[in-house]
Amino acid sequence: MAKTMRRWEMDAIGRDRLRLREVPIPSPGQREVLVKVAAVSLNHRDKMVIESGRGLPITFPFTPGSDLAGTVVALGEGVTRFSIGDEVISTFTPDWIDGVRRGNARTPSYRTLGGYYPGVLADHVAFPEDWFVRAPATLDHAEASTLPCAGLTAWFALVERGRLHAGETVLVEGTGGVALFALQIAKAHGAEVIVSGTVEKLARARALGADHGIDRRREDWVDAVLGITADRGADHILELVGGPHLGKAIQVAAVGGRIHQIGALAGFDLAAPAMPLMLKDVTIQGIGTGHRRALEDLVRAVDRMGLKPVIDARYPLGDLAAALDHLDRGAFGKIVIEMA
């Protein structure tokens, strides 16, 4: 076995500080597994951490990235959850196994891979065995790598917290990774799906099963959603825009509807009218990915539903800069780095 590997590292915040370095392959410690990484899917959050640090307690040299798929190739002492040769994916929030997220009212926990903890853009990682779950049997490595953040976020919103069921209407904002997972999960549960996005991408969303498509740039966006639903509104809204757009989400929410607040592309300071929020008995649920048990549920569901993640592009490890540029332009689905 080789003694060295490639790993992306940065010694300070900024894309220009990223370097692909040759470093020793780590050895797994007590209850750790060594995973040979096959693929890493990128999130907008990765780009933000690289460019701004997001106020996280980053220790340099720092490796970005959080979502991997790979194979267990060595075991540390005391490992019981995996064997050599097992295919695994990472967990985005390793400390969150089930139930309520850690932290308190003053300091909610945000201990994630590629931020608080080291990242995964490397040929190998040695992490605690509890930080992994078994990969789906029906997906290749690149597809499986898209589940830990984007896939789980959509699943956690609609199924774990939202209790989605057949016959409900789901409004999905955008056509990125979380949005397209939500589209596919909603359709698999028998829901009617409206996708709001750019005109050039709506046809592709319909090909994935979307029942309706709306140009998100329309001035009468609210009227368009209400027209499709005959004024009933949407039972579930994946709010991926943030900022003042939350107000529009409340306007199109059904009575008793749920808004899953996930994104903040238009800003983290949310604004919305209070009266329809109260009169329609709307629930706003903050979603910050999800716990390990829900990821294990998603993995089983993927294998049974035959869900196939949408990958817009695959880049080799050395082309991280081009992959980040693609994120800047916007992707239809996910962007994946493949180690081979």
Coordinates of all heavy atoms in Angstrom, one line a residue, residues 23-108:
V23 N 0.8 14.1 1.2 CA 0.9 14.0 2.7 C 0.9 12.5 3.0 O 0.4 11.7 2.2 CB -0.2 14.8 3.4 CG1 -0.1 16.3 3.1 CG2 -1.6 14.2 3.1
P24 N 1.3 12.1 4.2 CA 1.3 10.7 4.6 C -0.2 10.3 4.8 O -1.1 11.0 5.2 CB 2.0 10.7 6.0 CG 2.8 12.0 6.0 CD 2.1 13.0 5.2
I25 N -0.4 9.0 4.4 CA -1.7 8.4 4.7 C -1.9 8.2 6.2 O -1.1 7.7 6.9 CB -1.9 7.1 4.0 CG1 -1.8 7.3 2.4 CG2 -3.2 6.4 4.4 CD1 -1.8 6.0 1.6
P26 N -3.0 8.7 6.8 CA -3.2 8.6 8.2 C -3.5 7.1 8.6 O -3.9 6.3 7.8 CB -4.4 9.5 8.5 CG -5.2 9.4 7.2 CD -4.2 9.4 6.1
S27 N -3.2 6.8 9.9 CA -3.5 5.5 10.5 C -4.7 5.7 11.4 O -4.8 6.6 12.1 CB -2.3 5.0 11.3 OG -1.1 4.8 10.4
P28 N -5.6 4.7 11.3 CA -6.8 4.8 12.2 C -6.4 4.6 13.6 O -5.7 3.6 14.0 CB -7.7 3.7 11.6 CG -6.8 2.7 11.0 CD -5.6 3.5 10.4
G29 N -7.0 5.4 14.5 CA -6.8 5.2 15.9 C -7.8 4.4 16.6 O -8.6 3.7 15.9
Q30 N -7.9 4.5 17.9 CA -9.0 3.7 18.6 C -10.4 4.0 18.1 O -10.8 5.2 18.0 CB -8.9 4.1 20.1 CG -9.9 3.4 21.0 CD -9.4 2.0 21.4 OE1 -8.3 1.7 21.2 NE2 -10.4 1.3 22.0
R31 N -11.1 3.0 17.7 CA -12.4 3.1 17.1 C -12.5 4.0 15.9 O -13.6 4.5 15.6 CB -13.4 3.5 18.2 CG -13.5 2.5 19.4 CD -14.8 2.7 20.1 NE -16.0 2.4 19.3 CZ -17.2 2.7 19.6 NH1 -17.5 3.3 20.7 NH2 -18.2 2.4 18.7
E32 N -11.5 4.1 15.2 CA -11.5 4.8 13.9 C -11.4 3.8 12.7 O -10.9 2.7 12.9 CB -10.3 5.8 13.8 CG -10.5 7.0 14.7 CD -9.4 8.0 14.5 OE1 -8.4 7.7 13.9 OE2 -9.6 9.2 14.8
V33 N -11.9 4.3 11.6 CA -11.7 3.5 10.3 C -11.0 4.3 9.3 O -11.1 5.6 9.3 CB -13.0 3.0 9.7 CG1 -13.7 2.0 10.7 CG2 -14.0 4.2 9.5
L34 N -10.1 3.7 8.5 CA -9.5 4.4 7.4 C -10.3 4.1 6.2 O -10.5 3.0 5.8 CB -8.0 3.8 7.2 CG -7.3 4.5 6.1 CD1 -7.0 5.9 6.3 CD2 -6.0 3.7 5.8
V35 N -10.7 5.2 5.5 CA -11.6 5.1 4.4 C -10.8 5.6 3.1 O -10.3 6.7 3.2 CB -12.9 5.9 4.5 CG1 -13.7 5.9 3.2 CG2 -13.7 5.3 5.7
K36 N -10.8 4.8 2.1 CA -10.3 5.2 0.8 C -11.4 6.0 0.1 O -12.4 5.4 -0.3 CB -9.8 4.0 0.0 CG -9.2 4.4 -1.4 CD -8.7 3.2 -2.1 CE -8.2 3.6 -3.5 NZ -7.1 4.6 -3.5
V37 N -11.2 7.2 -0.1 CA -12.3 8.1 -0.6 C -12.4 7.9 -2.1 O -11.3 7.9 -2.8 CB -12.0 9.6 -0.3 CG1 -13.1 10.4 -0.9 CG2 -11.9 9.8 1.2
A38 N -13.6 7.7 -2.6 CA -13.8 7.5 -4.1 C -14.4 8.8 -4.7 O -14.1 9.1 -5.8 CB -14.7 6.3 -4.3
A39 N -15.3 9.4 -3.9 CA -15.9 10.6 -4.5 C -16.3 11.6 -3.3 O -16.6 11.1 -2.2 CB -17.2 10.2 -5.3
V40 N -16.4 12.9 -3.7 CA -16.8 13.9 -2.7 C -17.7 14.8 -3.5 O -17.4 15.4 -4.5 CB -15.6 14.7 -2.2 CG1 -16.1 15.9 -1.3 CG2 -14.6 13.8 -1.4
S41 N -19.0 15.0 -2.9 CA -19.9 16.0 -3.6 C -19.7 17.3 -2.9 O -19.5 17.4 -1.7 CB -21.3 15.5 -3.5 OG -21.8 15.6 -2.2
L42 N -19.8 18.4 -3.7 CA -19.6 19.7 -3.1 C -21.0 20.4 -2.8 O -22.0 20.1 -3.4 CB -18.9 20.6 -4.2 CG -17.5 20.1 -4.6 CD1 -16.9 21.1 -5.6 CD2 -16.6 20.0 -3.3
N43 N -20.9 21.2 -1.8 CA -22.1 22.0 -1.4 C -21.7 23.5 -1.5 O -20.5 23.9 -1.4 CB -22.5 21.7 0.0 CG -22.8 20.2 0.2 OD1 -23.7 19.7 -0.5 ND2 -22.1 19.5 1.0
H44 N -22.7 24.4 -1.6 CA -22.4 25.8 -1.6 C -21.8 26.2 -0.3 O -21.0 27.1 -0.2 CB -23.7 26.6 -1.8 CG -24.1 26.7 -3.2 ND1 -23.5 27.7 -4.1 CD2 -25.0 26.0 -4.0 CE1 -24.0 27.6 -5.3 NE2 -24.9 26.6 -5.3
R45 N -22.2 25.5 0.8 CA -21.6 25.7 2.1 C -20.0 25.5 2.1 O -19.3 26.3 2.7 CB -22.2 24.8 3.1 CG -21.7 24.9 4.5 CD -20.7 23.7 4.8 NE -20.4 23.6 6.2 CZ -19.6 22.7 6.6 NH1 -19.0 21.9 5.8 NH2 -19.4 22.6 7.9
D46 N -19.5 24.5 1.3 CA -18.1 24.3 1.2 C -17.4 25.6 0.6 O -16.4 26.0 1.0 CB -17.8 23.1 0.3 CG -18.4 21.8 0.8 OD1 -18.3 21.7 2.1 OD2 -18.8 21.0 0.1
K47 N -18.1 26.1 -0.5 CA -17.5 27.3 -1.1 C -17.5 28.5 -0.1 O -16.5 29.2 -0.1 CB -18.4 27.6 -2.3 CG -17.8 28.7 -3.2 CD -18.7 28.8 -4.5 CE -20.0 29.5 -4.3 NZ -19.8 31.0 -4.1
M48 N -18.5 28.6 0.7 CA -18.6 29.7 1.6 C -17.5 29.6 2.7 O -16.9 30.5 3.1 CB -20.0 29.7 2.3 CG -21.1 30.1 1.3 SD -22.8 29.8 2.0 CE -22.8 31.1 3.2
V49 N -17.3 28.3 3.2 CA -16.2 28.1 4.2 C -14.9 28.4 3.6 O -14.1 29.1 4.3 CB -16.3 26.6 4.7 CG1 -15.1 26.3 5.5 CG2 -17.6 26.4 5.5
I50 N -14.6 28.0 2.4 CA -13.3 28.3 1.7 C -13.1 29.8 1.6 O -12.1 30.4 1.8 CB -13.3 27.6 0.3 CG1 -13.2 26.1 0.5 CG2 -12.0 28.2 -0.5 CD1 -13.3 25.4 -0.8
E51 N -14.2 30.5 1.2 CA -14.1 31.9 0.9 C -14.2 32.9 2.1 O -13.6 34.0 2.0 CB -15.1 32.3 -0.2 CG -14.9 31.6 -1.5 CD -16.1 31.9 -2.5 OE1 -17.1 32.4 -2.0 OE2 -16.0 31.5 -3.7
S52 N -14.9 32.5 3.1 CA -15.1 33.4 4.2 C -14.8 32.8 5.6 O -14.7 33.5 6.6 CB -16.5 33.9 4.2 OG -17.5 32.9 4.5
G53 N -14.8 31.4 5.7 CA -14.6 30.8 6.9 C -15.9 30.6 7.7 O -16.0 29.8 8.6
R54 N -16.9 31.4 7.4 CA -18.3 31.4 8.0 C -18.2 31.5 9.5 O -19.1 31.1 10.2 CB -19.0 30.2 7.6 CG -19.4 30.1 6.2 CD -20.5 29.0 5.9 NE -21.8 29.4 6.5 CZ -22.8 28.7 6.4 NH1 -22.8 27.5 5.8 NH2 -24.0 29.1 6.9
G55 N -17.1 32.1 10.0 CA -17.0 32.3 11.5 C -16.7 31.1 12.2 O -16.8 31.0 13.5
L56 N -16.3 30.0 11.6 CA -16.1 28.7 12.2 C -14.7 28.7 12.8 O -13.8 29.3 12.4 CB -16.3 27.6 11.2 CG -17.7 27.4 10.6 CD1 -17.7 26.4 9.5 CD2 -18.7 27.0 11.7
P57 N -14.5 27.9 13.9 CA -13.2 27.7 14.5 C -12.3 26.8 13.7 O -12.0 25.7 14.1 CB -13.5 27.1 15.9 CG -14.8 26.3 15.6 CD -15.6 27.1 14.6
I58 N -11.8 27.3 12.6 CA -11.0 26.5 11.7 C -9.6 26.5 12.1 O -9.0 27.5 12.5 CB -11.1 27.1 10.3 CG1 -12.5 26.9 9.7 CG2 -10.1 26.4 9.3 CD1 -12.8 27.6 8.4
T59 N -9.0 25.3 12.1 CA -7.6 25.0 12.4 C -6.8 24.8 11.1 O -7.2 23.9 10.3 CB -7.4 23.9 13.4 OG1 -8.1 24.1 14.6 CG2 -5.9 23.6 13.7
F60 N -5.8 25.5 10.9 CA -5.0 25.4 9.7 C -3.7 24.5 10.0 O -3.2 24.5 11.1 CB -4.5 26.8 9.2 CG -5.7 27.6 8.8 CD1 -6.1 28.7 9.7 CD2 -6.4 27.4 7.7 CE1 -7.1 29.5 9.3 CE2 -7.5 28.3 7.3 CZ -7.8 29.3 8.2
P61 N -3.3 23.7 9.0 CA -3.9 23.6 7.6 C -5.2 22.9 7.6 O -5.4 22.0 8.4 CB -2.9 22.8 6.8 CG -2.2 22.0 7.9 CD -2.1 22.8 9.1
F62 N -6.1 23.4 6.8 CA -7.5 23.0 6.8 C -7.9 22.4 5.5 O -7.5 22.9 4.4 CB -8.4 24.2 7.1 CG -9.9 24.0 6.9 CD1 -10.6 23.2 7.8 CD2 -10.6 24.5 5.8 CE1 -12.0 22.9 7.6 CE2 -11.9 24.3 5.6 CZ -12.6 23.5 6.5
T63 N -8.6 21.3 5.6 CA -9.1 20.6 4.4 C -10.6 20.8 4.3 O -11.4 20.4 5.2 CB -8.8 19.1 4.4 OG1 -7.4 18.9 4.5 CG2 -9.4 18.3 3.2
P64 N -11.2 21.3 3.2 CA -12.6 21.5 3.1 C -13.3 20.2 2.6 O -12.7 19.2 2.3 CB -12.7 22.6 2.0 CG -11.5 22.4 1.2 CD -10.4 21.9 2.1
G65 N -14.6 20.3 2.5 CA -15.4 19.2 2.0 C -16.0 18.4 3.1 O -15.4 18.2 4.1
S66 N -17.3 17.9 2.9 CA -17.9 17.2 4.0 C -18.6 15.9 3.5 O -18.8 15.0 4.4 CB -19.0 18.0 4.6 OG -20.0 18.4 3.6
D67 N -18.9 15.7 2.2 CA -19.7 14.6 1.8 C -18.9 13.6 0.9 O -18.6 13.9 -0.2 CB -20.9 15.1 1.0 CG -21.8 16.1 1.7 OD1 -21.4 16.4 2.9 OD2 -22.8 16.5 1.2
L68 N -18.6 12.5 1.5 CA -17.8 11.5 0.8 C -18.5 10.1 0.7 O -19.4 9.8 1.4 CB -16.4 11.3 1.5 CG -16.3 10.5 2.8 CD1 -16.5 9.0 2.7 CD2 -15.0 10.8 3.5
A69 N -18.0 9.4 -0.3 CA -18.3 8.0 -0.4 C -17.0 7.2 -0.7 O -16.2 7.7 -1.4 CB -19.3 7.7 -1.6
G70 N -16.9 6.1 0.0 CA -15.6 5.4 -0.2 C -15.7 4.0 0.4 O -16.8 3.5 0.7
T71 N -14.5 3.4 0.6 CA -14.4 2.0 1.1 C -13.5 1.9 2.3 O -12.4 2.5 2.3 CB -13.8 1.1 0.0 OG1 -14.6 1.3 -1.2 CG2 -13.8 -0.3 0.4
V72 N -14.0 1.2 3.3 CA -13.2 1.0 4.5 C -12.0 0.0 4.1 O -12.2 -1.1 3.7 CB -14.0 0.3 5.6 CG1 -13.1 0.0 6.8 CG2 -15.1 1.3 6.0
V73 N -10.7 0.5 4.4 CA -9.6 -0.3 4.0 C -8.7 -0.6 5.2 O -7.8 -1.5 5.1 CB -8.7 0.5 3.0 CG1 -9.4 0.6 1.7 CG2 -8.3 1.9 3.5
A74 N -9.0 -0.1 6.4 CA -8.2 -0.5 7.6 C -9.1 -0.1 8.8 O -9.9 0.8 8.8 CB -6.9 0.2 7.7
L75 N -8.9 -0.9 9.9 CA -9.7 -0.7 11.1 C -8.7 -0.4 12.3 O -7.7 -1.0 12.5 CB -10.5 -2.0 11.5 CG -11.3 -2.6 10.4 CD1 -12.0 -3.9 10.8 CD2 -12.4 -1.6 9.9
G76 N -9.2 0.6 13.1 CA -8.5 0.8 14.4 C -9.0 -0.1 15.4 O -10.0 -0.9 15.2
E77 N -8.3 -0.2 16.5 CA -8.7 -1.1 17.6 C -10.1 -0.7 18.2 O -10.4 0.4 18.3 CB -7.6 -1.0 18.8 CG -7.9 -2.0 19.9 CD -6.8 -1.9 21.0 OE1 -5.8 -1.2 20.7 OE2 -7.0 -2.5 22.0
G78 N -10.9 -1.8 18.4 CA -12.2 -1.6 19.0 C -13.3 -1.3 18.0 O -14.4 -1.1 18.4
V79 N -13.1 -1.3 16.7 CA -14.1 -1.0 15.7 C -15.1 -2.2 15.7 O -14.7 -3.3 15.6 CB -13.5 -0.7 14.3 CG1 -14.6 -0.7 13.3 CG2 -12.7 0.6 14.3
T80 N -16.4 -1.9 15.7 CA -17.4 -2.9 15.7 C -18.5 -2.7 14.6 O -19.2 -3.6 14.3 CB -18.1 -3.0 17.1 OG1 -18.7 -1.7 17.3 CG2 -17.1 -3.4 18.2
R81 N -18.6 -1.5 14.1 CA -19.7 -1.1 13.2 C -19.4 -1.5 11.7 O -20.3 -1.7 10.9 CB -20.0 0.3 13.2 CG -20.6 0.8 14.6 CD -21.0 2.2 14.6 NE -22.2 2.5 13.7 CZ -22.2 3.3 12.7 NH1 -21.1 4.0 12.5 NH2 -23.3 3.5 12.0
F82 N -18.1 -1.6 11.4 CA -17.7 -1.9 10.0 C -16.6 -2.9 9.9 O -15.9 -3.2 10.9 CB -17.2 -0.6 9.3 CG -18.3 0.5 9.3 CD1 -18.2 1.6 10.1 CD2 -19.4 0.4 8.4 CE1 -19.2 2.6 10.1 CE2 -20.3 1.4 8.4 CZ -20.2 2.5 9.2
S83 N -16.5 -3.5 8.7 CA -15.4 -4.4 8.3 C -14.7 -3.9 7.1 O -15.2 -3.0 6.4 CB -16.0 -5.8 8.0 OG -16.7 -6.3 9.1
I84 N -13.5 -4.4 6.9 CA -12.7 -4.0 5.7 C -13.5 -4.4 4.5 O -14.0 -5.5 4.4 CB -11.3 -4.7 5.7 CG1 -10.5 -4.1 6.9 CG2 -10.6 -4.5 4.4 CD1 -9.1 -4.7 7.0
G85 N -13.6 -3.5 3.5 CA -14.3 -3.7 2.3 C -15.7 -3.1 2.3 O -16.3 -3.0 1.2
D86 N -16.2 -2.6 3.5 CA -17.5 -2.0 3.5 C -17.6 -0.7 2.8 O -16.6 0.1 2.9 CB -18.0 -1.8 5.0 CG -18.4 -3.1 5.7 OD1 -18.6 -4.1 5.0 OD2 -18.5 -3.0 6.9
E87 N -18.6 -0.5 2.0 CA -18.8 0.8 1.3 C -19.6 1.7 2.2 O -20.6 1.4 2.8 CB -19.6 0.6 0.0 CG -19.0 -0.4 -0.9 CD -17.7 0.1 -1.5 OE1 -17.5 1.3 -1.6 OE2 -16.9 -0.8 -2.0
V88 N -19.1 3.0 2.4 CA -19.6 3.9 3.4 C -19.8 5.3 2.8 O -19.2 5.6 1.8 CB -18.8 4.0 4.7 CG1 -18.7 2.6 5.4 CG2 -17.4 4.5 4.3
I89 N -20.6 6.1 3.5 CA -20.7 7.5 3.3 C -20.6 8.2 4.6 O -20.8 7.6 5.7 CB -22.0 7.9 2.6 CG1 -23.3 7.5 3.4 CG2 -22.1 7.3 1.2 CD1 -24.6 7.9 2.8
S90 N -20.1 9.5 4.5 CA -19.9 10.2 5.8 C -21.2 10.8 6.3 O -22.2 10.8 5.6 CB -18.9 11.4 5.5 OG -19.4 12.2 4.4
T91 N -21.2 11.3 7.5 CA -22.3 12.0 8.1 C -21.9 13.4 8.3 O -20.8 13.7 8.8 CB -22.7 11.4 9.5 OG1 -21.6 11.5 10.4 CG2 -23.2 10.0 9.4
F92 N -22.8 14.3 7.8 CA -22.4 15.8 7.8 C -22.2 16.3 9.2 O -21.3 17.2 9.4 CB -23.5 16.5 7.1 CG -23.3 18.0 6.9 CD1 -22.4 18.5 5.9 CD2 -24.0 18.9 7.7 CE1 -22.2 19.8 5.8 CE2 -23.8 20.3 7.5 CZ -22.9 20.7 6.5
T93 N -23.1 15.9 10.1 CA -23.0 16.4 11.5 C -22.7 15.2 12.4 O -23.6 14.6 12.9 CB -24.3 17.1 11.9 OG1 -24.7 18.0 11.0 CG2 -24.1 17.8 13.3
P94 N -21.4 14.9 12.6 CA -21.1 13.6 13.2 C -21.6 13.4 14.6 O -21.8 12.2 15.0 CB -19.5 13.6 13.2 CG -19.1 14.6 12.1 CD -20.2 15.6 12.1
D95 N -21.7 14.4 15.4 CA -22.2 14.3 16.8 C -23.7 14.1 16.9 O -24.1 13.8 18.0 CB -21.8 15.5 17.6 CG -20.3 15.8 17.6 OD1 -19.5 14.8 17.5 OD2 -19.9 17.0 17.6
W96 N -24.4 14.3 15.8 CA -25.9 14.2 15.9 C -26.3 12.8 15.4 O -26.5 12.6 14.3 CB -26.5 15.3 15.0 CG -27.9 15.6 15.3 CD1 -28.7 15.1 16.2 CD2 -28.8 16.4 14.4 NE1 -30.0 15.5 16.1 CE2 -30.1 16.4 15.0 CE3 -28.5 17.2 13.3 CZ2 -31.1 17.1 14.4 CZ3 -29.6 17.9 12.8 CH2 -30.9 17.8 13.3
I97 N -26.6 11.9 16.4 CA -26.9 10.6 16.1 C -28.4 10.4 15.9 O -28.9 9.7 15.0 CB -26.4 9.6 17.2 CG1 -24.9 9.8 17.4 CG2 -26.8 8.2 16.8 CD1 -24.1 9.5 16.2
D98 N -29.2 11.0 16.7 CA -30.7 10.9 16.7 C -31.3 12.0 17.5 O -30.6 12.7 18.3 CB -31.1 9.5 17.1 CG -32.5 9.1 16.6 OD1 -33.2 10.0 16.1 OD2 -32.9 7.9 16.8
G99 N -32.6 12.1 17.5 CA -33.3 13.1 18.4 C -33.0 14.5 18.1 O -32.9 14.9 16.9
V100 N -32.9 15.3 19.1 CA -32.7 16.7 19.0 C -31.2 17.1 18.9 O -30.3 16.5 19.5 CB -33.2 17.5 20.3 CG1 -33.0 19.0 20.2 CG2 -34.7 17.2 20.4
R101 N -30.9 18.0 18.0 CA -29.5 18.5 17.8 C -28.9 19.0 19.1 O -29.6 19.5 20.0 CB -29.5 19.6 16.8 CG -28.1 20.2 16.5 CD -28.3 21.5 15.7 NE -28.6 21.3 14.3 CZ -27.8 21.1 13.3 NH1 -26.5 21.1 13.6 NH2 -28.2 20.9 12.1
R102 N -27.6 18.8 19.3 CA -26.9 19.3 20.5 C -26.9 20.8 20.5 O -27.2 21.5 19.5 CB -25.5 18.7 20.5 CG -25.4 17.2 20.7 CD -23.9 16.8 20.9 NE -23.8 15.4 21.2 CZ -22.6 14.8 21.4 NH1 -21.5 15.5 21.4 NH2 -22.6 13.5 21.7
G103 N -26.5 21.3 21.7 CA -26.4 22.8 21.8 C -27.5 23.3 22.7 O -28.3 22.6 23.3
N104 N -27.5 24.6 22.9 CA -28.6 25.3 23.7 C -29.0 26.5 23.0 O -28.6 26.9 21.9 CB -28.0 25.6 25.1 CG -26.8 26.4 25.1 OD1 -26.6 27.3 24.3 ND2 -25.8 26.1 26.0
A105 N -29.9 27.3 23.7 CA -30.5 28.4 23.1 C -29.5 29.5 22.7 O -29.6 30.2 21.7 CB -31.6 29.0 24.0
R106 N -28.5 29.6 23.5 CA -27.5 30.6 23.3 C -26.5 30.2 22.2 O -26.0 31.0 21.4 CB -26.7 31.0 24.6 CG -25.7 32.1 24.4 CD -25.0 32.4 25.7 NE -25.9 32.8 26.8 CZ -26.3 34.0 27.0 NH1 -25.9 35.0 26.2 NH2 -27.1 34.3 28.1
T107 N -26.1 28.9 22.2 CA -25.1 28.4 21.3 C -25.5 27.1 20.7 O -25.2 26.0 21.2 CB -23.8 28.2 22.1 OG1 -23.4 29.3 22.9 CG2 -22.6 27.9 21.1
P108 N -26.3 27.2 19.6 CA -26.7 26.0 18.9 C -25.4 25.3 18.3 O -24.5 26.0 17.9 CB -27.7 26.4 17.9 CG -27.4 27.9 17.7 CD -26.9 28.4 19.0

